[in-house]
Amino acid sequence: MKTTARLGLLALLLSIVWAACTHDPDVPPRPAPKPDTTAVDSALLGKWYLLGSGWRYDMDPQPLDTVAYVLEFGGDGSLHGYAVNGSYTLKDTALRFKLYAVDEQRMPDRLLTYRKKLLSVYRYTIYSDGLLRLYYDNDTKYLLFDRKEPAPPVLNQLPRALLATWRINEYRLIEDRVTRDLSNSEPIQLRFNADTTWTLQVSSGQTTGPFRTDSWTIRFNHRLKPMDRFGSPDDRRLLESLREVVWYELKGDELTLYFSEGAGFISCQKVEPEAGRIDEHLCQPWKLVGFGHTADGSLRELTGADRLSNKTFLVELLINGMLYTLSSSNELYGNFSMNGQSIRMNVGGGTKVGETKAGEAYVRALNAAERFELQKDGRLKLFYNQGRDYLLFREGISIISSTPPAELLGKWVMADLRRYAMPPTGFKLSEQTVDFRSDGFVYITGTEPFGTSLGNKLPYGYQPWGKEDNLLVGYMYFSCRIDGDELRLGRNSSVDGPVYVFKRLRK
């Protein structure tokens, strides 16, 4: 009996031990997760583009600016946008923004206004048409956003003050927070062209790309790939910082480009073209022959009607630094500057319709021109792309001019020189003769009216560019009147310029 009781007690103890070993112990409950400080609305996440602003019950919002303001909501509560970065918090439809501090003294008024609107946002609504409204100013007004990026505005005219060459004097990048002074270094120049392209020139070369701008914003892009070499590492960092630029400020001859909400900047000084360095031999109309490649000497010539047309692929460089050009289908204006064999061109103002690929390549090459060479055969080469490519031109006076009349041909001697409000001349009129010939050249003796710097044999054109009663000799335009045996050539005669009177020499 005792043995049975002992066995029963032992079995009970073993069952208790077994249960203790095999049963999970009680685990204290985990604390409930804290609610996220930022709720997530998947419909709100991603990029939105500002369409405009209006009063709460106004169904026709007005554009805030010509800029495509973008606002991007991150799933982690981060906020990124056009010169606005920070965070947001959600609770139901309530929405609040916190923006990082910025240097407001450097920020344009329009951006400051936009930031203030965002900081006063009270709630949001996404409508069935997919548009987002952010209500602000005590719920009385709203900002309207869309998922689709609006098309960039069509500008009637680029800011003319911007279209120039600028020397970069200093800049500051965000990653090193150090202002770099370049005023005593090898010059780095930034040029804005009228065809909405820009060129960055460093000591070892240059690169180019398109830009978009209005009265205060500007965006850059370039075609260099990450593996392409460009200047020094600092030059490359400066180039990449151009892509971050958001707005600019112009004060006289000073230009400042801002990025990273004003904390980064590039400061520039306008470069004026050097006066008195224009080569007169270059100043005449030129007809494009083709696109050349320096390394192998290949030349892709114009074909078809473009080859001989007086309406396409012509450029005229004027002695005052201005230029006029015809591309494949457009009439363009601009300016140029020279220093020795170096040349810089700014082309673009004018019509912009129906340009062919060759026409686009032609205008790009003019804007990228670096230096020129006048060949022994009278042709002109404009080198670009660090000298690897060039445009080849031949004389263009004969193409833009009409056949001279028979009464102009022959030899003439100066009989009178009328200079209004000018002292008498110090030379004998009879020593000044001109001989117009049918081969397109005029042979000169004496110094007037064409000077001697270009020599005594000059090309001439009658009625150039269709201008009646005009004569082009070298780079100089004259009014031309033939009355029997008398020839009158006027140089700026409409503003009291000299009038040269010639008599025909009979054999």
Side-chain angles (χ1 to χ4, degrees):
M1 185 73 178
K2 291 182 179 180
T3 303
T4 304
R6 290 175 179 175
L7 290 173
L9 180 60
L10 179 60
L12 177 62
L13 290 174
L14 289 174
S15 64
I16 292 173
V17 173
W18 176 259
C21 294
T22 59
H23 191 273
D24 290 336
D26 291 334
V27 178
R30 295 180 182 178
K34 294 181 179 180
D36 293 337
T37 55
T38 301
V40 175
D41 181 354
S42 59
L44 187 64
L45 301 182
K47 290 184 178 181
W48 296 87
Y49 296 91
L50 180 65
L51 297 181
S53 64
W55 292 91
R56 180 175 179 179
Y57 298 106
D58 184 3
M59 302 306 293
D60 186 22
Q62 299 300 310
L64 184 67
D65 205 342
T66 58
V67 181
Y69 291 95
V70 61
L71 205 58
E72 184 174 7
F73 294 85
D76 58 352
S78 61
L79 180 75
H80 303 283
Y82 197 90
V84 289
N85 291 285
S87 61
Y88 70 94
T89 55
L90 285 176
K91 185 176 181 181
D92 297 326
T93 61
L95 176 64
R96 291 287 188 273
F97 293 118
K98 290 184 179 180
L99 303 181
Y100 298 146
V102 297
D103 186 350
E104 294 188 355
Q105 292 184 346
R106 290 184 172 179
M107 189 161 284
D109 291 339
R110 284 187 245 189
L111 274 183
L112 288 175
T113 300
Y114 176 55
R115 289 173 61 89
K116 290 177 181 177
K117 292 179 187 293
L118 291 178
L119 288 172
S120 67
V121 165
Y122 172 77
R123 65 183 179 90
Y124 78 99
T125 302
I126 300 177
Y127 287 87
S128 57
D129 58 3
L131 298 181
L132 166 68
R133 281 194 183 195
L134 302 182
Y135 292 93
Y136 69 98
D137 201 3
N138 294 323
D139 214 24
T140 60
K141 303 175 184 176
Y142 69 90
L143 297 170
L144 185 65
F145 290 82
D146 192 1
R147 287 290 191 187
K148 299 177 182 178
E149 182 177 4
V154 178
L155 300 178
N156 294 326
Q157 188 174 5
L158 291 171
R160 293 185 61 86
L162 189 66
L163 303 181
T165 299
W166 304 85
R167 173 171 176 163
I168 298 177
N169 286 333
E170 63 178 11
Y171 66 92
R172 184 172 69 192
L173 306 182
I174 298 305
E175 56 266 29
D176 53 18
R177 299 186 178 275
V178 175
T179 300
R180 298 178 180 270
D181 186 358
L182 303 179
S183 56
N184 295 319
S185 305
E186 189 77 19
I188 298 178
Q189 294 187 344
L190 178 64
R191 186 171 79 250
F192 294 95
N193 305 311
D195 65 345
T196 64
T197 61
W198 56 269
T199 302
L200 182 66
Q201 179 94 28
V202 298
S203 59
S204 60
Q206 69 178 29
T207 188
T208 186
F211 72 92
R212 281 171 44 191
T213 184
D214 63 5
S215 59
W216 66 279
T217 67
I218 189 165
R219 301 308 298 240
F220 292 83
N221 204 346
H222 66 75
R223 302 182 180 92
L224 282 186
K225 299 177 181 178
M227 299 303 295
D228 292 341
R229 297 184 64 183
F230 177 74
S232 67
D234 283 342
D235 293 338
R236 186 66 188 231
R237 293 171 66 203
L238 177 61
L239 172 65
E240 295 304 329
S241 70
L242 286 177
R243 280 183 165 171
E244 303 175 22
V245 169
V246 176
W247 75 89
Y248 70 93
E249 184 178 40
L250 264 174
K251 291 183 178 179
D253 291 340
E254 295 181 357
L255 166 69
T256 307
L257 306 171
Y258 291 102
F259 53 94
S260 298
E261 299 177 334
F265 67 87
I266 301 172
S267 179
C268 312
Q269 183 76 29
K270 189 175 183 179
V271 178
E272 296 293 344
E274 295 188 44
R277 291 184 176 272
I278 293 179
D279 189 333
E280 295 171 344
H281 293 84
L282 213 61
C283 297
Q284 58 175 289
W286 298 93
K287 173 66 177 179
L288 181 67
V289 176
F291 300 81
H293 189 59
T294 306
D296 57 11
S298 60
L299 180 67
R300 179 166 55 88
E301 298 189 29
L302 295 180
T303 58
D306 288 339
R307 189 180 181 89
L308 299 175
S309 173
N310 62 353
K311 303 292 184 183
T312 62
F313 296 103
L314 282 153
V315 62
E316 181 174 16
L317 307 179
L318 303 176
I319 195 66
N320 63 358
M322 304 303 291
L323 66 84
Y324 168 73
T325 185
L326 296 173
S327 59
S328 63
S329 56
N330 287 288
E331 184 177 7
L332 305 167
Y333 300 87
N335 54 69
F336 71 100
S337 60
M338 300 172 56
N339 188 352
Q341 296 295 111
S342 299
I343 188 168
R344 296 288 181 268
M345 293 184 172
N346 184 4
V347 185
T351 60
K352 294 182 180 179
V353 293
E355 198 73 85
T356 65
K357 289 184 178 180
E360 293 175 351
Y362 168 70
V363 174
R364 283 199 304 269
L366 289 178
N367 277 320
E370 302 160 352
R371 64 182 179 89
F372 72 93
E373 284 185 5
L374 284 168
Q375 308 296 297
K376 292 182 179 180
D377 60 2
R379 295 189 175 194
L380 167 67
K381 284 185 177 180
L382 288 181
F383 291 91
Y384 62 100
N385 192 19
Q386 301 182 34
R388 290 191 287 265
D389 301 293
Y390 62 88
L391 297 176
L392 179 64
F393 294 88
R394 64 182 179 89
E395 65 82 23
I397 291 182
S398 61
I399 294 177
I400 66 162
S401 304
S402 303
T403 302
E407 56 265 29
L408 177 64
L409 303 180
K411 195 169 186 178
W412 304 79
V413 61
M414 189 179 297
D416 193 10
L417 171 56
R418 300 170 187 172
R419 281 181 169 173
Y420 302 96
M422 294 290 289
T425 59
F427 56 84
K428 294 181 179 180
L429 297 179
S430 60
E431 294 178 352
Q432 317 299 313
T433 66
V434 292
D435 186 2
F436 292 96
R437 300 186 185 179
S438 59
D439 62 358
F441 288 92
V442 56
Y443 295 79
I444 305 160
T445 59
T447 59
E448 294 286 335
F450 311 119
T452 58
S453 61
L454 296 179
N456 294 323
K457 176 185 176 183
L458 298 178
Y460 76 93
Y462 182 71
Q463 295 184 347
W465 305 109
K467 299 177 182 178
E468 294 186 1
D469 302 322
N470 268 253
L471 193 69
L472 173 60
V473 180
Y475 65 86
M476 293 170 283
Y477 281 87
F478 296 87
S479 62
C480 177
R481 179 181 173 184
I482 305 173
D483 187 6
D485 287 341
E486 183 179 271
L487 168 66
R488 293 189 181 189
L489 300 179
R491 179 107 166 112
N492 298 321
S493 55
S494 60
V495 287
D496 293 338
V499 176
Y500 304 91
V501 181
F502 293 85
K503 294 293 184 181
R504 185 183 297 277
L505 277 178
R506 297 291 183 181
K507 294 181 180 180

